Amino acid sequence: MTLCLRIIFFLSCGSLAVAQDSAVQRSAASSYERSGSFRSDQAQQPDRHEARLPAQEPAGLQDKQAFQQPLAWRFPELPAEEPRFPPEFELKPPVPADSVTVQCGENSVRVEAKKDLLGIGKPILPSDITLGGCGATGEDAEGQALIFESELHGCGSQMMMSEDSLIYVFTLHYTPSLLGNSPIVRTREVTVSVECHYLRKHDVISGAVNPTWVPYDANKASEENLLFSLKLMTDDWQFARPSSRFLLGDVMKFEASVEQFHHAPLQVFVDSCVATLIPNPNTVPRYSFLGNHGCLVDSQLTGSSSHFLPRTQDDKLQFQIEAFRFQQDHSGSMYITCHLRAAVAVPVSATNKACSFSSNRWSEASGSHQVCSCCEMDCGSGTGSQSTGPGQWEQETSVGPITVKERPLR
């Protein structure tokens, strides 16, 4: 009986010790979870009823797991996706914006620029576009357009010339404003050249005009119907002299005339005459023996017998000059160039006359001698235009070469 009680006591004590050991282990595990590691003084004790193992080193901090080789696993790559397009897709070619029109007038230009200048549905600001620096002069509200008007020589235009045209070039310049403080733009800078072409040989008239001047075509037709002539005549004044050779002491006889064809009766006048060595009347040496609107001064200057013959026909005027030659010129060759003028029904006057000097007085070929009094002064303004007035025409005519030789001695 006593043996049985001892066995039961030992069994109870063993169970209690095992329970205490289990509690100690649970407390140590809980402490590890809180601290993350085991301490040396908290190492587990071996079970009292288990065989003791050989002594081992106390457990320290847990070593991190080291990988001997890199991981070979990777995230899978996404499969390439082919782009899909519409079966019949085509890029539309850009269509140029037809937004500028020009009207060229006789002396001005009108340019219209649509507010949608670039054709993108974005209206421009009127302050952003100029015609050669000139702002818009108007606006077409219905047509949504800006209007620029300028003279042909205004708004920075440039004139160019071709063989048969005058070209005025204007520049329409658009500079878009900034879009606030943003670094982007939705339009671009645009420069458009605008040209007006005019024919050089014809008048450009937009409407009916009643000119106050004699039209060029009318002048040309009149010239073609007028034939001025200056020629040497025979001694009897009946024929043109076939030879232009003279000797000193001879008289050179000239006849100025105008053939009028379809014109009303005309009078011919010789306003001036000059002798030169070559056909150019502005060279030297030169001898002006007739001038001041019809004053024959050779006789006054040299005492010769040169004079106008009395006028017998309005369309002809005759005068004679004693032959002469230039000093230091051994050729004896010269040209006579006269300024002829034809007029319709003009009275004899200080500028329409033919005066000669003889016996210390002046006489006029038509008998109106009083008009010659200005030959000692100035008889009027000079001439030289194609037409001095309504119903008057002018032309320079030359005769030559005329050769004057010395008369041989016997």
Side-chain angles (χ1 to χ4, degrees), residues 4-24:
C4 294
L5 291 174
R6 288 180 179 177
I7 295 172
I8 294 171
F9 175 77
F10 280 114
L11 292 173
S12 300
C13 290
S15 300
L16 179 61
V18 171
Q20 290 178 349
D21 289 343
S22 299
V24 170

Side-chain angles (χ1 to χ4, degrees), residues 225-229 257-261 263 266 315:
N225 290 332
L226 288 179
L227 179 60
F228 287 93
S229 174
S257 64
V258 58
E259 294 188 35
Q260 54 199 30
F261 297 101
H263 283 273
L266 298 174
D315 59 347

Side-chain angles (χ1 to χ4, degrees), residues 66-236:
F67 295 99
Q68 300 298 326
Q69 294 181 355
L71 294 176
W73 183 87
R74 296 288 188 272
F75 282 100
E77 296 182 358
L78 295 178
E81 183 178 359
E82 294 293 334
R84 294 183 300 171
F85 297 105
E88 296 181 356
F89 177 80
E90 290 184 2
L91 289 174
K92 295 182 180 180
V95 179
D98 186 14
S99 55
V100 178
T101 58
V102 184
Q103 294 179 359
C104 298
E106 182 178 355
N107 54 14
S108 63
V109 62
R110 176 188 173 97
V111 180
E112 293 187 9
K114 292 183 179 180
K115 289 187 176 181
D116 185 12
L117 181 68
L118 303 180
I120 58 176
K122 299 288 184 180
I124 63 175
L125 296 176
S127 58
D128 291 347
I129 185 170
T130 63
L131 181 67
C134 299
T137 58
E139 183 174 341
D140 183 2
E142 182 178 356
Q144 290 295 298
L146 300 173
I147 300 173
F148 300 85
E149 292 182 336
S150 171
E151 296 181 353
L152 293 179
H153 294 281
C155 292
S157 69
Q158 295 181 346
M159 188 189 75
M160 298 185 297
M161 187 179 299
S162 64
E163 183 177 355
D164 56 356
S165 298
L166 292 175
I167 305 171
Y168 292 87
V169 182
F170 294 84
T171 301
L172 191 69
H173 191 70
Y174 168 65
T175 304
S177 301
L178 298 178
L179 296 177
N181 295 325
S182 67
I184 66 171
V185 294
R186 287 192 171 92
T187 57
R188 63 185 178 89
E189 189 171 349
V190 175
T191 300
V192 180
S193 294
V194 177
E195 297 184 358
C196 286
H197 292 242
Y198 298 89
L199 295 177
R200 294 176 58 187
K201 300 181 181 180
H202 299 278
D203 293 334
V204 179
I205 301 175
S206 58
V209 176
N210 294 322
T212 58
W213 66 91
V214 179
Y216 171 79
D217 291 341
N219 271 340
K220 192 64 179 175
S222 299
E223 289 179 15
E224 292 174 352
N225 290 332
L226 288 179
L227 179 60
F228 287 93
S229 174
L230 178 67
K231 54 188 176 183
L232 287 167
M233 301 296 291
T234 57
D235 291 341
D236 57 4

Side-chain angles (χ1 to χ4, degrees), residues 341 383-390 392-394:
R341 179 167 51 88
T383 61
S385 61
Q386 182 63 31
S387 176
T388 60
Q392 296 195 45
W393 297 266
E394 296 180 340

